Amino acid sequence: MTKRPVRQRIRQALLLLSLLLFPVTMNYFSPYVIIDGAAQGIINGSLIVFGIQFLAALFVGRLWCGWGCPAGGLGEACFTVNDKPLRGKQGNWLKWAIWAPWVGIIAWAAISAGGYHQVNFFHLTESGVSMDAPERYFIYYIVLGVFLALSVFVGRRAGCHTICWMAPFMILGRKLRNLGNWPALRLKAETERCINCERCTQACPMSLDVNGMVQRGVMENSECILCGSCVDVCPKKVISYTFSKGK
Ligand code: SF4
Ligand code: SF4
Ligand code: SF4
């Protein structure tokens, strides 16, 4: 068995740690708690976290998805069960079909409450720990079960492509950054060194055609999570991280 590069072992250890902490952190990523907070005019933990994800994406894209998300950790843990790449863009639209009405409900709830007038990071999480009552494990296992089932029955990080309500915040931040074209964390490629071995494409946890991106000289892709797998697997060191403006 080939030994994984140190950077990838560190990354996967961080993802697993985040997955282990999910019983503590779940409410801060919750699509429900944010609605409950909005209905009472409360800026809660998940609203703040989603706001941070959007703002961070202006400079580091979807780094959170590659290095810190518990559901991402679960998705990659499932690679040992089903490592089938999801080629094409089928299903990527679904998360927008979920996200748009959900954001509409949050806005409607906040307007109905007369706007936000209070900040409580720990709204519905008074102890600071999300799993502070046995019945909350029901929600915990439903969330994990849906992401698990998609990874096991559909393929690599299928939940990230199709149902994630957080990804659109980061994609929007990233698109705004691209419009402004200010310095940010990106990938760059030296196409002339590429030998078309396709190892980058095979290694990509988001099933992107990385070799094609290299050949086109366009490394920007809204589904790229900046995990660095392609960077570390390339035998010719064609791909690298850069903190710079885009082309
Ligand atoms: S797409 Fe969603 S579930 Fe997947 S890693 Fe990113 S935030 Fe987590
Ligand atoms: S293109 Fe490279 S950095 Fe982006 S998700 Fe795929 S392997 Fe990770
Ligand atoms: S791994 Fe490197 S050399 Fe191989 S196709 Fe990808 S960029 Fe080209």
Side-chain angles (χ1 to χ4, degrees):
M1 197 172 161
T2 324
K3 206 172 168 187
R4 288 184 186 158
V6 173
R7 176 161 47 195
Q8 291 308 312
R9 280 186 277 155
I10 293 171
R11 185 180 75 80
Q12 282 167 344
L14 290 172
L15 287 175
L16 282 177
L17 179 66
S18 180
L19 178 59
L20 288 176
L21 288 171
F22 195 47
V24 177
T25 59
M26 187 179 75
N27 281 5
Y28 308 115
F29 309 117
S30 167
Y32 168 72
V33 179
I34 189 173
I35 296 173
D36 191 272
Q40 297 174 56
I42 300 171
I43 296 174
N44 77 307
S46 49
L47 177 56
I48 293 170
V49 167
F50 300 153
I52 291 172
Q53 287 177 337
F54 170 77
L55 292 174
L58 297 173
F59 300 97
V60 295
R62 290 177 65 181
L63 200 65
W64 164 255
C65 297
W67 291 77
C69 177
L74 178 64
E76 295 207 12
C78 291
F79 286 0
T80 50
V81 183
N82 184 0
D83 195 23
K84 185 181 152 206
L86 302 183
R87 295 289 179 229
K89 292 187 174 175
Q90 300 95 327
N92 284 345
W93 62 270
L94 187 58
K95 58 180 173 288
W96 293 98
I98 294 169
W99 183 84
W102 170 65
V103 168
I105 291 169
I106 296 167
W108 173 77
I111 291 165
S112 302
Y116 288 105
H117 42 76
Q118 192 185 336
V119 180
N120 180 5
F121 189 82
F122 298 107
H123 176 63
L124 294 188
T125 319
E126 285 69 22
S127 68
V129 175
S130 302
M131 299 291 98
D132 57 358
E135 62 272 16
R136 296 200 172 170
Y137 275 86
F138 183 67
I139 301 165
Y140 173 75
Y141 283 119
I142 285 181
V143 175
L144 285 191
V146 170
F147 276 92
L148 183 80
L150 283 165
S151 288
V152 168
F153 296 115
V154 181
R156 280 186 198 180
R157 277 186 177 249
C160 297
H161 287 282
T162 56
I163 60 161
C164 179
W165 56 92
M166 294 178 278
F169 291 113
M170 291 175 271
I171 293 174
L172 287 174
R174 187 172 178 153
K175 287 193 181 298
L176 189 60
R177 173 206 74 184
N178 291 341
L179 276 176
N181 195 25
W182 53 73
L185 190 65
R186 306 170 192 271
L187 296 178
K188 70 171 182 180
E190 294 176 56
T191 307
E192 59 284 357
R193 291 220 299 264
C194 176
I195 56 171
N196 288 311
C197 68
E198 298 264 349
R199 287 174 66 174
C200 50
T201 299
Q202 288 157 16
C204 180
M206 292 299 281
S207 312
L208 302 179
D209 174 17
V210 190
N211 185 22
M213 291 157 62
V214 168
Q215 292 307 316
R216 289 190 296 276
V218 179
M219 298 306 289
E220 175 58 22
N221 187 307
S222 62
E223 293 298 320
C224 173
I225 56 173
L226 293 173
C227 66
S229 298
C230 55
V231 177
D232 292 326
V233 82
C234 178
K236 296 294 178 184
K237 302 289 174 221
V238 171
I239 309 167
S240 57
Y241 283 114
T242 176
F243 195 91
S244 60
K245 293 183 177 183
K247 277 188 184 173

